[in-house]
Amino acid sequence: MQNIYLKFIEMQQAGQGLVLATVIRTIGSTPQKTGSSAIFENGRLLNGTIGGGVVEGRVQEAARYCSQSGVSRYLHLFLNSDISDKDEAICGGEIYILLDADPLIHMPVFREIIRSGEQRESGVLVTRIAQSTGDQVNIGRYWMTGNSRPSLPERFREKIEPEALRLITDGSRDGIVCMEPGLTGEESSSVYFLEPLFPLPRLIIAGAGHIGKALSHLAKLLDFEVTVIDDRADFANTVNLPDADHIIVRDVGEAMSEAEKSTDTFFVIVTRGHSDDAKALKPCIGSGAGYVGMIGSNGKIARMKTDFIEKNWATEEQWNRIHTPIGLDIKSKTVEEIAISIAAELILVKNSSRKI
């Protein structure tokens, strides 16, 4: 789960002055979508973004105030200034931003999120925003999964829990919900921000050569959990693959056969030869993986297709679902350009929720 909350595990010794800013709600055109977050330290941006430009500048100033005062705020910004006003936003929309002046107090919740991620368990981070005075708020955070519930009043669970479980079941990374349930007995109105968090999509690269190495670097930047498989220890090592989360030195066919295959698993086959490509591809056919792509010339791909269908390793329909030649057509020529074309296709498929 590569998300902004995990950064606090690295920053918990950073001292005072950390502020977490999160876009809670948007109306119309805005520079960032709901859920976008940034971490500030005494007004200085450390990580993430709220959209850059004028909006981020205004949030940065508000974050500096929160650092100094220790008071959390809930901002409502209008972005409909005239185009002639160079110091204001002209997107035309509205944006609500939560500024948490004491995010480290929620470290136990962030650690729960980490534990769930290690177990590849999805969940929903529920943030309660209770109005105090003006735009000042009190903040509570709770982590909920399909198997665990935070210790909360029954009236809270009756309103929030069904929606949180729906978000987990739907599996949409964009399925953020902002609720104002008006719970009986609350002294002031509260907003509940439900943010689903899922384990990172897994990318398994068969082949640790030049393309596999370049792709592992790009995929790590794109928040994939990266595994690279190769039977050559001279290539499959941390020196050659510094960005890979897991490196497997083993026969490619055997390792690919044992790899877990699910809708959030993406396979890229870029081995050193036709034989290894076939061994890597065979266990992926009809596996339900989110993506299977294989590099190769048109001639090689045509020969492999005939071979796979004649040997009943794949049907015509199953073969046609393989991304081969791999990558988006951006007229790539260099290793780096080929890796970018593959990474772009991974993003497209990931965001389209397609199965193989």
Side-chain angles (χ1 to χ4, degrees):
M1 295 181 181
Q2 191 66 29
N3 59 70
I4 199 90
Y5 305 107
L6 305 192
K7 297 295 181 182
F8 288 104
I9 302 300
E10 306 166 10
M11 297 178 177
Q12 56 185 312
Q13 304 301 326
Q16 303 299 315
L18 293 179
V19 172
L20 173 62
T22 305
V23 177
I24 299 296
R25 182 185 174 200
T26 63
I27 300 174
S29 179
T30 58
Q32 269 292 357
K33 64 181 182 179
T34 303
S36 301
S37 298
I39 300 173
F40 296 90
E41 182 183 36
N42 296 312
R44 180 172 61 95
L45 179 65
L46 297 182
N47 193 277
T49 181
I50 297 296
V54 174
V55 171
E56 194 151 275
R58 291 172 66 179
V59 173
Q60 191 166 352
E61 284 301 314
R64 181 177 291 109
Y65 166 81
C66 292
S67 294
Q68 295 169 352
S69 67
V71 175
S72 298
R73 302 174 66 189
Y74 188 40
L75 303 183
H76 181 193
L77 304 180
F78 294 89
L79 314 178
N80 55 0
S81 297
D82 187 86
I83 194 169
S84 62
D85 192 338
K86 298 180 180 180
D87 296 323
E88 293 295 335
I90 60 172
C91 301
E94 302 173 38
I95 190 167
Y96 295 78
I97 298 173
L98 176 66
L99 291 165
D100 186 344
D102 192 11
L104 294 183
I105 199 173
H106 307 295
M107 285 300 301
V109 176
F110 299 156
R111 291 193 183 98
E112 288 183 46
I113 294 173
I114 289 180
R115 284 193 290 270
S116 293
E118 291 171 345
Q119 298 168 9
R120 299 200 64 80
E121 182 179 32
S122 304
V124 172
L125 177 62
V126 179
T127 300
R128 177 177 179 267
I129 308 165
Q131 293 181 353
S132 179
T133 303
D135 63 3
Q136 298 181 9
V137 294
N138 296 313
I139 299 171
R141 298 189 190 272
Y142 315 90
W143 178 241
M144 181 181 296
T145 71
N147 299 314
S148 66
R149 308 286 189 277
S151 192
L152 297 167
E154 186 65 27
R155 66 182 188 276
F156 176 95
R157 292 181 57 173
E158 288 177 355
K159 296 278 188 175
I160 304 300
E161 184 176 316
E163 189 66 14
L165 295 178
R166 182 191 65 79
L167 291 174
I168 295 172
T169 302
D170 286 354
S172 172
R173 297 174 189 273
D174 296 323
I176 293 172
V177 171
C178 189
M179 301 177 64
E180 296 183 52
L183 300 180
T184 303
E186 290 198 331
E187 296 179 359
S188 59
S189 60
S190 295
V191 173
Y192 292 87
F193 183 62
L194 280 59
E195 183 178 7
L197 300 174
F198 301 95
L200 295 180
R202 291 176 291 196
L203 173 63
I204 299 179
I205 304 171
H210 297 305
I211 295 175
K213 176 181 179 179
L215 181 59
S216 70
H217 172 67
L218 289 174
K220 190 64 178 177
L221 294 176
L222 295 170
D223 289 342
F224 283 87
E225 180 185 307
V226 180
T227 298
V228 183
I229 302 170
D230 202 298
D231 60 0
R232 302 167 294 175
D234 288 347
F235 287 82
N237 58 68
T238 56
V239 174
N240 187 51
L241 302 166
D243 301 296
D245 296 291
H246 314 286
I247 299 172
I248 300 175
V249 185
R250 193 178 175 193
D251 176 82
V252 171
E254 293 177 359
M256 292 286 275
S257 294
E258 294 182 7
E260 184 178 342
K261 301 169 182 68
S262 62
T263 55
D264 68 345
T265 306
F266 296 68
F267 291 93
V268 169
I269 299 170
V270 286
T271 75
R272 64 184 181 275
H274 171 90
S275 176
D276 281 340
D277 284 347
K279 289 194 297 182
L281 178 61
K282 187 177 176 182
C284 296
I285 300 294
S287 65
Y291 172 97
V292 176
M294 182 180 69
I295 201 167
S297 65
N298 289 329
K300 166 192 161 180
I301 291 164
R303 290 192 299 273
M304 285 188 68
K305 176 181 178 180
T306 299
D307 196 33
F308 267 62
I309 291 176
E310 286 182 350
K311 293 179 179 179
N312 293 320
W313 292 345
T315 65
E316 182 88 21
E317 180 182 2
Q318 287 173 331
W319 183 272
N320 290 338
R321 293 176 67 83
I322 300 166
H323 295 262
T324 188
I326 198 169
L328 298 185
D329 185 5
I330 58 172
K331 311 302 180 187
S332 52
K333 297 184 182 300
T334 67
V335 166
E336 292 76 15
E337 289 174 347
I338 293 170
I340 288 171
S341 76
I342 297 172
E345 189 168 70
L346 292 173
I347 294 169
L348 177 63
V349 174
K350 175 175 68 71
N351 293 342
S352 302
S353 300
R354 183 184 177 193
K355 290 184 184 180
I356 296 301

